[in-house]
Amino acid sequence: MAWSLFRSRHSHRRPAPRRPRLGCELMEDRVVPATSLDTGLRFAVGVLENGAAHVRVYDSAGTQLADVDVSDLAGTGQPGIATADVTGDGTADIVIGSGAGVASQVRVLDGKTFQQAFSASPFGSFTGGVNVSAGDLTGDGKAEVVASPDAGGGPRLVIYRGGDFQPIASFMGMDDANFRGGVRTAVADVNHDGHPDLVVAAGLGGGPRVAIFDGTTPLSGSPTKLVNDFFALDPSLRNGVYVAAGDVNGDGFADLAFGAGPGGAPRVLVVSGQTLTTSGITAALGSPLANFFAGNPAGRAGVQVQVRDLNGDGKADVIAGSLLTAGGTLTAYSGQGLTTGALTTLFNLLSVPAAGSVLSGLTSGSTGTGTGTGTGTTPGAGNPLVTLSLNPLDINLLGLEVQTSPITVTVSALPGNGELLGNVLTLASNLINLQGVNTALNNVLGGVVTLLNSAGLSVAGANTTSGPFSTAAAATTPVLDLFVAPVHLNLLGALVDTSPIHLTITAHSGPGLVLGNVVTDLANLFNPPLPAQLDLTTINAKLQQLLADLNTQLPGIPSAPTTAATIPAGSSQVLALTVPPINLNLLGLNLQTSQIQVNADALTGNGLLLGNVLTTLLNTLGATPGSLTDLNNNLNALLAKVVGVLNAASLTLAPGALNALAPVLQNLSLPGLVNTTGAPATTPILNLAIASPDGTTPPVDVNLLGLKITTSNIRATLSATTGDGQVLGNLLYNVANLLNPGGTLNLLTILGQLGV
């Protein structure tokens, strides 16, 4: 998602002298995703000095890497800037909207070379300035450019398609077509449907009115609003409102951050996107995620806001700043802190380098070089070859919901002396249409995730109408919140980078939500007030009752096979957990794992802190080898039952889900496209093995201050099997075999269609 921040042009009903403004536009670079302020930081600064406008790119030490003269885009106002991967090469590009005083123009600078990639005049001779934002509204891996007039213009939006820059939509972002304060926009997935939406806010002279459009509908020619228009701040104000969007609380919904317009106090309001789109406007505004003044409450310069995950914790942070003189800063507030009621400052991003400067871009990544003419390259970042983008996954199994963040994996080549693999990959990329293959793969992956998210999971033999877990009060219980920071691998010039990965598992309780009810009960097994002391006998009794209720609820579903645990007397072992084999078939997409044994020992002795503490704790609980054996067997039995339910699950597509896919993807879902034998065929998609090197040594062996954890061999396979009704298996099987030696012309044609 791209977004613009802190523009130095504004006007009042009465003319006022223009003052320099500090602004920020974060630049997401898919090669090295942004995580924190580090030595790899790159930032772009838009500078308006003595009538000359520049976009300058610096490294974190303040060394200038490139200088692009954009004076033709600035009259009396600083050009607006947004960033996003518009060209589809995996690197964020710079989108510029002309400032007040010159004819309207939108320009895109390539993020690698800083050369012009596109220019258009969206509003003809209008000279009030152009606001810009960007985001992938078409789902093709290239961000669309959204242009709107600034003060003095109407509420019209023009959208240009990423890649070929063709205008693909034009419509009124506000109901009052006669309004002449302009509008500001942001692009983000507000309703968590896996597709970015378009947020529109009134500019100067209007009330703080906000409209939100379903991101798919403006491109269809019939813009549809997700919710009714609303006033984010006091409706009597006539300063407009600044808007930004991003997932501040980490629930998968983009939250909205509002800042008061010029002339207002620097109030910042952050509201939940989930509450807004599921419970309504009154609920969202009545219980905001954050409501605070950014700076001096007595100030009347207003405040502009933006959001982006700056510290890599999976929650977007809020950046705020108002009209400033030289030397001012933008303040970044922790999103984690805001959602817990603590106004925690992460850092002040950067002082304004000179009077009239606007900080317009920030990204973590390899630094680049440049000349005074505005050209530049980015050695160290590599040449992106393939960028796979996996849309957010959202699957619900009887109340147990699994969600992921969008995941991006980029493979790049870094040529140069000593970079053997980088040189080889660079040569190979010149012989193959990697961009076409990349687009084809992303289109197929997008179709697979869309089908998964639209499908319903059911379990044969599950009793959802009667039994201990058939009914429960509606509640939501977080079970797992896993965040993996971006990974960067460089092997002889072959680069592999991933975006941050955020995985959550949530239990939803309610009528018929059997697994959600079970996990909710398990999570609440030992709620406060806690007893003065606890023993393993009490814990085992509660676990056994939970298991008995689960077997009563699901009598027709066998537990997955497991191995009985035995804790020998005098042993240091405290855990003998068995993860049964998983054998899950989702419409031909087969996930299989081996049985995995996880053992833990508490070792005692000098310096073995964790082992000593755990041993003492178990002694306090009255643990014996027998009670520890019972505890492990109870845990294993619960786990075996849950895995048994997973193995019995089946996937049912929503009516019309397949027909909603592109025709070429529908063709790829046919079982006989590649496999013409008539019998089912299987192809491996993923094969993972973590195995002992000698057959006796544990493949995973960790000893942390006396807490020793070992595992058995770990094997997992993902395969695609063809057959009638095996839609996902057919899709992935056919794609995997598209470029087989001797492949037919028809299949190569399909590959070409996928790359469009």
Side-chain angles (χ1 to χ4, degrees), residues 42-45 47 49 54-69 114 353 367-375:
R42 288 195 310 155
F43 58 88
V45 175
V47 182
E49 296 174 328
H54 297 262
V55 174
R56 292 172 182 159
V57 182
Y58 296 83
D59 65 15
S60 58
T63 303
Q64 182 173 307
L65 307 175
D67 187 334
V68 184
D69 190 330
F114 308 114
T367 58
T369 59
T371 68
T373 62
T375 60

Side-chain angles (χ1 to χ4, degrees), residues 397-416:
L397 175 60
L398 296 179
L400 200 60
E401 185 178 26
V402 180
Q403 296 174 303
T404 69
S405 62
I407 300 172
T408 301
V409 180
T410 300
V411 180
S412 308
L414 180 63

Side-chain angles (χ1 to χ4, degrees), residues 146 160 272 316 382 420 479 625 668 703 741:
V146 182
Y160 296 92
S272 164
L420 173 63
V479 177
L668 281 170
N703 189 333

